[in-house]
Amino acid sequence: MKTIWIPREVLTWDMEVDSSTVFDDNESLRSYEIWEHSKNLISSHTSEFQLVDSIANLKRSLNQRLQLIEKRYNLKSINYRNKPKGYLELLEQYNVVRPFLMRILLSIRNEIEHNDMRPPDLNRCQELLDVTWYFLRSTDHIIRNQIDKLVISMPREQDKKGNYWINLDIDFGVPVSLKVNCWLPDEFVSQTKKNDFLRVDAVEFRQFDNKNIYRDRLSADVNVRGKMILDADDLFTLVKKTLSMY
């Protein structure tokens, strides 16, 4: 295996989804089942205790969805700079959710549980019910479909023929694993470490000059296959861009 280095700027190139994994819908439906139970408690309530139970179940619905997101993506394992402690805040930094209203739900639930606060009135409970539903809807896409391959292309102003690209396979395990297969111009590939370059542990590193096979290539173009190794900040940047593509 040979370690090579490619410019960090490739993370700013144009990215497109090449393929994704579709998950069984049963797990994603669980949050809606809990939400539906809360809805029934609110609509048929005859006492404040049913409203209390409805708030508790909205929190359960929220927690189930947050746990499923983490199960799919292992975002907690990426220890980038200024990473927040709260999971809603973490998702906010990845541009997955806007958590303000969900924090209100959690605050109300905590006040009820720890300080025996009375539940909100019926209108407020119905608002929280709607807020939770919109949260579930806004995160359905990332738990039902998981992007597992990207095509990263050099911008057209730099590469008018579209010769240079990176196929990137993403495995959201612990740690996140990135496999690359790319064509790059030779000046984009270094065999020594440089500032603002990314590490690739290459299992294949080839230059071609056979015009009969590679008619669209320059003699010094380089094909690299291997595993890209990113530090936590670069990995955060890549995962954030990926999650924004749903």
Side-chain angles (χ1 to χ4, degrees), residues 31-224:
S31 289
Y32 285 104
E33 293 171 350
I34 301 169
W35 179 90
E36 192 69 33
H37 179 56
S38 181
K39 177 185 176 183
N40 292 336
L41 287 169
I42 291 172
S43 62
S44 63
H45 83 283
T46 57
S47 73
E48 69 174 39
F49 297 109
Q50 288 168 302
L51 294 180
V52 166
D53 289 343
S54 73
I55 296 298
N57 277 282
L58 288 180
K59 182 183 178 183
R60 282 183 59 214
S61 176
L62 171 64
N63 285 343
Q64 198 279 341
R65 177 52 58 89
L66 296 179
Q67 290 167 6
L68 186 53
I69 293 172
E70 181 60 19
K71 177 182 177 180
R72 295 274 194 266
Y73 293 96
N74 293 298
L75 300 178
K76 289 181 181 178
S77 69
I78 305 174
N79 295 312
Y80 60 92
R81 285 177 294 178
N82 301 318
K83 175 183 173 184
K85 292 182 179 180
Y87 200 70
L88 284 173
E89 291 74 20
L90 183 71
L91 294 182
E92 183 178 23
Q93 289 198 345
Y94 279 101
N95 287 337
V96 172
V97 298
R98 300 293 296 172
F100 176 75
L101 292 174
M102 303 315 301
R103 291 194 196 105
I104 293 176
L105 168 62
L106 295 177
S107 176
I108 291 172
R109 177 65 183 97
N110 289 339
E111 286 295 318
I112 292 173
E113 182 175 358
H114 300 297
N115 298 321
D116 197 28
M117 184 184 80
R118 297 173 69 88
D121 63 25
L122 178 59
N123 286 338
R124 187 57 165 157
C125 288
Q126 290 173 329
E127 288 176 0
L128 294 172
L129 183 72
D130 286 353
V131 164
T132 305
W133 184 86
Y134 280 111
F135 174 85
L136 298 180
R137 290 290 290 175
S138 69
T139 54
D140 276 348
H141 56 302
I142 68 170
I143 62 167
R144 292 178 177 174
N145 296 278
Q146 185 182 74
I147 294 171
D148 53 29
K149 181 175 288 187
L150 297 173
V151 177
I152 305 174
S153 303
M154 181 183 285
R156 281 291 182 176
E157 57 269 22
Q158 296 175 250
D159 179 20
K160 298 188 184 301
K161 293 185 178 181
N163 281 352
Y164 303 118
W165 42 260
I166 300 171
N167 284 337
L168 182 65
D169 292 350
I170 307 175
D171 180 352
F172 288 96
V174 180
V176 177
S177 176
L178 305 170
K179 293 181 180 179
V180 297
N181 179 13
C182 57
W183 277 100
L184 297 169
D186 60 346
E187 66 266 23
F188 273 66
V189 177
S190 173
Q191 298 187 52
T192 59
K193 185 176 181 179
K194 293 183 178 181
N195 291 334
D196 291 324
F197 272 53
L198 305 174
R199 173 181 164 187
V200 176
D201 289 341
V203 296
E204 199 163 325
F205 173 75
R206 298 178 294 180
Q207 290 181 301
F208 291 102
D209 56 8
N210 190 330
K211 291 298 183 180
N212 293 323
I213 300 177
Y214 299 97
R215 298 177 184 277
D216 59 345
R217 296 289 163 200
L218 300 176
S219 61
D221 286 351
V222 179
N223 177 238
V224 177

